[in-house]
Amino acid sequence: MHFDLNLLWPVAAAMAAGGLIGMERTYQGHPAGFRTHTLVCLTSCMLMLAAMHQATWTFVALPGQNVVIDPTRMAHGLLTGIGFLCAGVIFREGFSVKGLTTAASLWTTSAIGVLFGVGMPMLALVGTAATLTVLAILRLLDARLPHIAVLDITLTWVRGQAPSERALRDLLAEFGIKAMRIGHVVGREGVNHEHIVKAKGPTPLDIDGLCRRLTERPDVAGFSVIPRDE
């Protein structure tokens, strides 16, 4: 048994690449951060290294059979299996689906680990730089681009004073907000009536003005206005 230095640098590089991507996710406050991305990239790299060095494995072929080495099967398994981990960071809150960007970064990090494992360091480094550019730098550009903001609005009305959908749409339209979908939640014997609204509008939205109007209305028992985030 001897220590192969050629197995060291891909593992170290994969840990560094995964750690850099994970640091950005941690800084942004997402659940899958530094350690998760580091482990994903490290594991992908180690499994691909093992697949690429199958000739050194200790196994005995059955009589009359040839052993065919196919590392691509390991890559397929990795990129399929990472989907289960990605699914764990995607969740639904109201009408919003969150965690998609973090899931995509985990998938990309796994692919970068695969590239280090198969001996394509230049492509892996380019992929790492491109991923960090998308996550960190393009975030700043995205904030400056004109776009449509999506909101989750929950309105709780005093018993018997809930407005019609048309009146609610008109109220939101005063502040440049368009209700795309309105759900109703009614308590037993009509004690509470909630409107759960998925709305959108061009940025910047007058959220402060909407909140002031809702606060001043005596028929509003409570409300929440939550911008959708990734």
Side-chain angles (χ1 to χ4, degrees):
M1 178 179 178
H2 67 282
F3 187 76
D4 189 353
L5 293 178
N6 290 326
L7 300 179
L8 177 61
W9 73 262
V11 172
M15 291 181 64
L20 287 173
I21 297 172
M23 287 173 64
E24 192 281 336
R25 295 283 86 189
T26 297
Y27 179 77
Q28 298 297 337
H30 294 281
F34 176 71
R35 292 187 298 171
T36 302
H37 282 75
T38 301
L39 288 173
V40 166
C41 201
L42 170 63
T43 303
S44 298
C45 178
M46 290 192 302
L47 291 177
M48 284 309 302
L49 283 172
M52 293 293 292
H53 293 79
Q54 288 185 46
T56 64
W57 290 12
T58 303
F59 57 84
V60 179
L62 297 176
Q65 290 187 345
N66 294 324
V67 177
V68 179
I69 297 177
D70 185 10
T72 60
R73 297 180 64 183
M74 179 67 78
H76 292 161
L78 280 169
L79 296 180
T80 300
I82 197 66
F84 292 96
L85 181 60
C86 293
V89 300
I90 300 174
F91 61 96
R92 182 168 180 171
E93 184 175 291
F95 290 125
S96 298
V97 178
K98 300 184 178 182
L100 293 174
T101 301
T102 300
S105 69
L106 285 171
W107 189 34
T108 305
T109 302
S110 178
I112 291 172
V114 169
L115 293 174
F116 278 119
V118 299
M120 301 181 68
M122 289 305 300
L123 182 56
L125 291 174
V126 169
T128 302
T131 302
L132 290 172
T133 299
V134 170
L135 293 176
I137 299 178
L138 292 190
R139 173 186 292 272
L140 302 177
L141 176 61
D142 180 64
R144 295 177 178 272
L145 292 175
H147 61 279
I148 300 296
V150 180
L151 308 171
D152 289 332
I153 302 175
T154 302
L155 302 169
T156 303
W157 304 94
V158 176
R159 180 178 180 179
Q161 299 187 33
S164 65
E165 285 196 14
R166 172 50 58 190
L168 178 57
R169 291 180 186 274
D170 291 342
L171 170 64
L172 296 177
E174 294 180 22
F175 300 92
I177 301 173
K178 179 181 179 181
M180 296 185 292
R181 189 184 308 166
I182 299 178
H184 297 261
V185 178
V186 182
R188 179 177 295 180
E189 299 179 355
V191 173
N192 295 315
H193 190 142
E194 287 187 349
H195 282 133
I196 302 175
V197 185
K198 178 181 179 182
K200 67 178 182 180
T203 57
L205 293 172
D206 188 11
I207 302 300
D208 290 338
L210 174 61
C211 291
R212 284 194 297 269
R213 175 69 65 82
L214 294 174
T215 301
E216 294 169 354
R217 291 186 56 142
D219 55 350
V220 176
F223 67 89
S224 68
V225 180
I226 304 175
R228 175 185 291 189
D229 193 12
E230 293 182 313

